[in-house]
Amino acid sequence: MKCTQARLRQYDFVITRESLRPDGVKTSMILVNGGFPGPTIEANLGDTFKIRVTNYIDDDQGTAIHWHGLFQKETPWMDGVPSVTFCPIAPGQEFTYEFTADRVGSSWWHSHYSAQTAGGLFGAIVIHGASPYTYDVDLGPVLIVGLSAIPYHMRQIALTNNNLINGKMDFNCSSIPAGGPSCTPNAGFSKFRFQSGKRHLIRLVNTGLEGLQHFTIDGHKFTVVGLDYTPIQPYEADMISLTPGQRADIVVYANAKPDSSFWMRSDVDPTCSASSQPHAKSIIHYETANEDSSPTSTKIPYTLTGDCVAQPLSKTRPLVAQPLAPLGPSFVQTLDYTLALNYTPMGAPQFLVNGRRFRANYSQSLLLLANDDGGSEDASAEYGILSNVWDFSYNKTLRMILNNFFVSPHPMHLHGHDFWILAQGRGVWDGTIQGNTSNLMRRDTHQMIGAGADGSPSYLVLEFTLDNPGVWAFHCHITQHLILGMYMNIIYGQDAIKKYKIPASIDATCVSWREFARGNPVEQPDSGL
Ligand SMILES: [Cu+2]
């Protein structure tokens, strides 16, 4: 019998600024233990992660790590969102996260402090458990990242300059204008080994800033078996699309001769992104193929949908059904997303939801405030307009009808929950649920397509169960949109929150942040998350 006792999985993250050339271009990055991508954290279902994070970034900025897609039930204070669940980890300080590995599958951790993820501050999460998938070899995480050459400390975010797989890719150095960063050609590709006749599990994650990625493997079809942390009814595909924040577990049957080799590829969709080099490549060598050989395989063609839809809802059904509440949701909230130009006093644009934007107050934790609070006020008003808190206390389920009035799509991500996807499309939702309400797709990140060129809005309808009291982030996962305020906090279960025994280490982050900020007025040029 296999030992199933929960174990402690300990990691030590030291965050520093490093000069690195992942694709040959000299880039200033913010990294964990000097690596890009950062370390993969790995556990069995039910294990406890204990991760010490030390902030040694050189230029007086805080940091925070978020564990994307985990529920954090009973530990909402470990979700890693500064100003919401704790305060930023101040320069020179450390914070130890402790939480349960509560989902089986593939995900990633990343900074939730301003645009630090764009500087390379991310890595994979792999949690093993009774897997519904059949495979022979676990090839591990394949992180796809559209990289911007403009480092975060310049307070600007560019679009994708190059597209990388597991932190590697060539770059055409001659395309860099005179006076640009130094560049070493032929930086090289990530390499994987296939065994002929075996089934390989690949854990795909889009860890990029903004681009919708289309992933293919020359000469191979694959079976999609999981999306985000949700195992699905398997379906065959030769291309899978992922927005930033989304994951897919795919199983690839190695159907070729033992000496063959193929390109693995991912392309940024040109419809909704401007990218100077959108094509990522890495190499799959079969078992006897020469390690130094370059594949001569050709790309599998696919057609773009033209509107950056990530996955058609018709194809994706969870393996384990969870029916919608039969009597409908206990609350329905319509959320209109717009972009307002020249909005801030400095003239910056802002994304608004029902006319409200978000700006983090790093010196406080909303969860601590809700925990301390003796009163019973409506939290929406209590924490200040810029905290953008939406109080859904005393409801069991929440349906959100999102309307997008901006031309760009938005990959929407909810912390602490999976949502059901009820409907998506152009125009105004007519109330029709697209699919069988006994088993709609569930996940934690999904694309809301852009508004039409004629100005007609698009919609995305989500619903989830309010079974995890806390203060939870709901935001767009495009870095540029998030730092322009496309973020809201969802709070519910205030009575339960007041009963939480929040560890003293959470308040200690706020004490040390306020201490740090007193001596060093902190530059916060954006929303802060
Ligand atoms: Cu967005």
Side-chain angles (χ1 to χ4, degrees):
M1 204 177 78
K2 217 172 158 184
C3 175
T4 53
Q5 205 177 11
R7 282 182 48 185
L8 195 61
R9 305 283 174 176
Q10 299 196 70
Y11 293 87
D12 208 353
F13 282 17
V14 177
I15 304 180
T16 53
R17 184 180 294 284
E18 302 288 338
S19 180
L20 213 71
R21 297 170 178 268
D23 57 356
V25 183
K26 191 176 176 190
T27 308
S28 170
M29 307 187 80
I30 301 175
L31 303 177
V32 166
N33 304 343
F36 177 67
T40 297
I41 62 168
E42 201 164 356
N44 293 324
L45 181 67
D47 287 353
T48 299
F49 282 119
K50 190 169 182 183
I51 302 164
R52 183 171 66 173
V53 178
T54 309
N55 176 6
Y56 286 143
I57 306 170
D58 55 4
D59 59 355
D60 276 2
Q61 53 184 303
T63 194
I65 304 292
H66 166 62
W67 321 92
H68 187 112
L70 296 183
F71 286 148
Q72 300 285 7
K73 274 196 180 163
E74 307 299 329
T75 54
W77 47 84
M78 290 295 173
D79 198 43
V81 184
S83 83
V84 178
T85 63
F86 70 159
C87 292
I89 305 168
Q93 301 294 312
E94 64 178 51
F95 175 76
T96 300
Y97 290 87
E98 196 165 342
F99 54 90
T100 306
D102 60 10
R103 318 288 313 267
V104 174
S106 313
S107 191
W108 62 313
W109 54 263
H110 60 82
S111 173
H112 225 302
Y113 185 97
S114 192
Q116 284 176 350
T117 304
L121 193 44
F122 61 82
I125 303 176
V126 173
I127 300 174
H128 304 276
S131 175
Y133 322 149
T134 311
Y135 61 89
D136 306 302
V137 180
D138 186 344
L139 219 60
V142 172
L143 309 185
I144 308 161
V145 57
L147 200 65
S148 161
I150 296 183
Y152 162 67
H153 69 164
M154 292 179 70
R155 312 293 185 192
Q156 284 176 295
I157 301 300
L159 296 179
T160 306
N161 291 98
N162 196 7
N163 203 12
L164 286 69
I165 291 177
N166 280 358
K168 298 184 95 172
M169 181 61 197
D170 277 356
F171 191 73
N172 175 10
C173 291
S174 65
S175 70
I176 297 177
S182 84
C183 180
T184 313
N186 305 315
F189 305 99
S190 290
K191 292 175 181 172
F192 303 91
R193 279 279 173 194
F194 265 19
Q195 294 174 43
S196 194
K198 301 262 196 239
R199 291 158 300 187
H200 299 75
L201 174 67
I202 295 180
R203 304 168 178 276
L204 289 172
V205 190
N206 182 347
T207 58
L209 306 182
E210 52 98 21
L212 175 65
Q213 298 276 353
H214 301 302
F215 176 90
T216 55
I217 301 175
D218 295 359
H220 295 75
K221 285 184 182 298
F222 46 80
T223 308
V224 184
V225 294
L227 292 172
D228 296 352
Y229 271 128
T230 307
I232 63 165
Q233 296 172 14
Y235 71 91
E236 289 285 307
D238 50 22
M239 188 273 277
I240 176 92
S241 307
L242 295 174
T243 72
Q246 287 189 321
R247 293 87 69 204
D249 286 343
I250 64 171
V251 175
V252 193
Y253 178 68
N255 58 4
K257 294 202 300 279
D259 62 348
S260 46
S261 55
F262 295 90
W263 291 112
M264 178 190 279
R265 305 175 193 260
S266 192
D267 300 327
V268 175
D269 192 313
T271 322
C272 46
S273 298
S275 173
S276 46
Q277 200 305 93
H279 307 295
K281 288 199 292 186
S282 60
I283 298 174
I284 295 171
H285 286 126
Y286 273 58
E287 59 264 45
T288 64
N290 182 341
E291 168 82 23
D292 300 317
S293 65
S294 225
T296 54
S297 58
T298 51
K299 185 172 163 178
I300 289 182
Y302 57 85
T303 31
L304 299 174
T305 56
D307 55 7
C308 290
V309 168
Q311 289 88 23
L313 293 179
S314 58
K315 271 196 176 165
T316 52
R317 290 282 164 272
L319 204 55
V320 179
Q322 282 180 17
L324 278 191
L327 298 177
S330 44
F331 198 81
V332 179
Q333 178 67 56
T334 299
L335 297 169
D336 291 341
Y337 287 93
T338 52
L339 179 72
L341 300 171
N342 293 316
Y343 191 85
T344 67
M346 301 297 286
Q350 289 287 291
F351 279 101
L352 307 179
V353 53
N354 291 5
R356 293 166 65 175
R357 66 169 172 141
F358 170 81
R359 187 174 165 82
N361 178 352
Y362 285 149
S363 294
Q364 68 180 24
S365 148
L366 295 171
L367 187 63
L368 271 186
L369 291 175
N371 179 244
D372 283 346
D373 191 352
S376 57
E377 280 177 88
D378 178 353
S380 306
E382 192 178 353
Y383 301 125
I385 192 78
L386 286 176
S387 293
N388 207 2
V389 175
W390 296 66
D391 189 348
F392 298 107
S393 286
Y394 315 112
N395 289 292
K396 281 194 162 57
T397 51
L398 175 63
R399 179 175 295 177
M400 300 192 294
I401 303 170
L402 316 181
N403 294 310
N404 183 9
F405 291 86
F406 183 59
V407 289
S408 161
H410 299 293
M412 301 304 295
H413 171 50
L414 176 64
H415 291 210
H417 308 75
D418 281 344
F419 45 65
W420 287 284
I421 305 162
L422 277 63
Q424 62 185 10
R426 281 263 160 72
V428 175
W429 186 46
D430 65 2
T432 306
I433 295 173
Q434 298 162 359
N436 184 341
T437 57
S438 68
N439 191 18
L440 294 170
M441 186 59 204
R442 308 183 301 272
R443 62 190 313 173
D444 58 55
T445 310
H446 191 72
Q447 184 88 299
M448 170 164 67
I449 62 172
D454 60 356
S456 60
S458 70
Y459 61 83
L460 173 65
V461 185
L462 308 175
E463 188 166 314
F464 61 101
T465 307
L466 304 180
D467 59 357
N468 191 7
V471 188
W472 299 107
F474 181 57
H475 65 89
C476 176
H477 225 291
I478 291 177
T479 305
Q480 183 84 68
H481 298 177
L482 177 55
I483 65 174
L484 292 179
M486 193 160 172
Y487 176 101
M488 62 189 272
N489 286 302
I490 291 173
I491 188 172
Y492 63 85
Q494 293 209 61
D495 293 342
I497 292 173
K498 288 190 184 83
K499 291 187 188 122
Y500 280 142
K501 303 256 179 291
I502 299 181
S505 63
I506 297 294
D507 188 51
T509 61
C510 295
V511 171
S512 75
W513 180 264
R514 288 192 291 260
E515 177 74 15
F516 161 72
R518 250 196 301 279
N520 309 265
V522 177
E523 192 189 356
Q524 191 184 331
D526 52 43
S527 76
L529 299 190

